[in-house]
Amino acid sequence: MHLSRFLKLFLSAFLFVITPLGATAQDAYERYINQYHTMAVDQMRRHGIPASITLAQGLLESGAGQSRLAREANNHFGIKADSRWTGRYLVMADDRPDDRFRVYRNVAESYEDHSLFLCSSRRYAGLFSLSPTDYRGWARGLKAAGYATNPRYAESLISIIERYSLHRYDVGGKAFIHSARPTERTEAVSSSASSRQLYKCNGAIYTVALPGDTWRSLSKWSGVSRRRLRRYNEMPKGVEPTAGDIIYFEKKRSKAARALRHHVHTVQTGESLHTIAQRYGIRLKTLQRLNGLDDTTAITVGQRLIIRR
């Protein structure tokens, strides 16, 4: 993600082990947490990113909502307006005097864009196999994957999370944990897969494919037939899942969640209609119909797609 120079300096100068905050700064942090923790929990439930991580990143990168980007652009994660962005932008001196930053209609759009950035990049795919409460693993994984250049970025996130007990918001976020004991049907699956995490999006249970997953191994683990798995995930015969893919264990709904009414998705590099439909837990035909597309239509980076009217 493209962090502004201000944010890089902010991160460098700010927290390693958080120093005592003045009353004003303390109040600002607590106000931010009170205002946005439900938004972070919603993102966790829909996209699988721990709420503690999202909140800590938002606090760091927006100066607890007080940075210029946060105040004037609703941009809480310092995302720049690159060639893929077709919306409004804010010009602000950064690496260059005329750098452009994305402007969102509201903070919820900024949180959603941040989640989709992490979900859509293979660079961060491995993070989604971590335990739902492993915020330390997420923080260190983000740093290792190149999210930020600050060498103390992970420690800063961890310190904020522990100082403000943000990890309490992670409990129950990934509520659909497979708790059945291994049977003859699952013992052949690798140990990492036997403890895989299950999530829920738009009413349907899914997992994130791990390296080495196949329809056969997923079928053995879940008890759902390969034919049904391919049908639920709208995948043709002969195409196997790849690490990082969203795999549903039940039929997706024909409409996106009600909270996404009037939501528009901007196509990112590497995305397809299929991966976008998987991301929102809706059927491919629904996404095509909403946008006047069919199986022969190619989408382009920056194109805006209606998710739900």
Side-chain angles (χ1 to χ4, degrees), residues 99-115:
D99 272 329
R100 300 177 179 184
F101 293 85
R102 299 184 183 189
V103 173
Y104 302 100
R105 290 175 298 181
N106 49 57
V107 177
E109 283 193 352
S110 178
Y111 269 64
E112 177 74 7
D113 203 25
H114 168 260
S115 294

Side-chain angles (χ1 to χ4, degrees), residues 42-174:
D42 177 64
Q43 291 296 313
M44 173 178 63
R45 289 174 175 166
R46 291 197 293 112
H47 298 294
I49 302 164
S52 61
I53 288 292
T54 299
L55 278 172
Q57 288 188 288
L59 283 162
L60 267 179
E61 296 168 17
S62 74
Q66 297 179 359
S67 70
R68 181 187 171 193
L69 278 177
R71 289 183 289 104
E72 298 182 19
N74 288 315
N75 190 332
H76 283 224
F77 299 93
I79 304 180
K80 288 186 177 179
D82 55 20
S83 59
R84 300 171 294 179
W85 181 250
T86 58
R88 295 172 55 216
Y89 58 84
L90 174 69
V91 177
M92 191 171 74
D94 186 44
D95 297 319
R96 299 179 303 179
D98 58 349
D99 272 329
R100 300 177 179 184
F101 293 85
R102 299 184 183 189
V103 173
Y104 302 100
R105 290 175 298 181
N106 49 57
V107 177
E109 283 193 352
S110 178
Y111 269 64
E112 177 74 7
D113 203 25
H114 168 260
S115 294
L116 293 177
F117 173 83
L118 295 179
C119 291
S120 63
S121 174
R122 291 194 179 278
R123 174 186 294 185
Y124 305 109
L127 294 174
F128 292 87
S129 64
L130 295 174
S131 166
T133 56
D134 187 8
Y135 61 87
R136 294 184 183 88
W138 265 85
R140 290 164 182 152
L142 285 169
K143 176 62 183 71
Y147 185 93
T149 58
N150 187 294
R152 294 179 173 178
Y153 185 74
E155 287 80 1
S156 295
L157 292 181
I158 292 168
S159 294
I160 288 178
I161 290 168
E162 294 179 348
R163 180 184 181 94
Y164 291 96
S165 300
L166 300 184
H167 43 76
R168 69 186 185 273
Y169 298 118
D170 297 336
V171 178
K174 299 179 180 179

Side-chain angles (χ1 to χ4, degrees), residues 207-221:
T207 192
V208 177
L210 303 173
D213 274 342
T214 64
W215 293 126
R216 180 183 293 274
S217 65
L218 288 166
S219 176
K220 285 183 176 181
W221 183 83

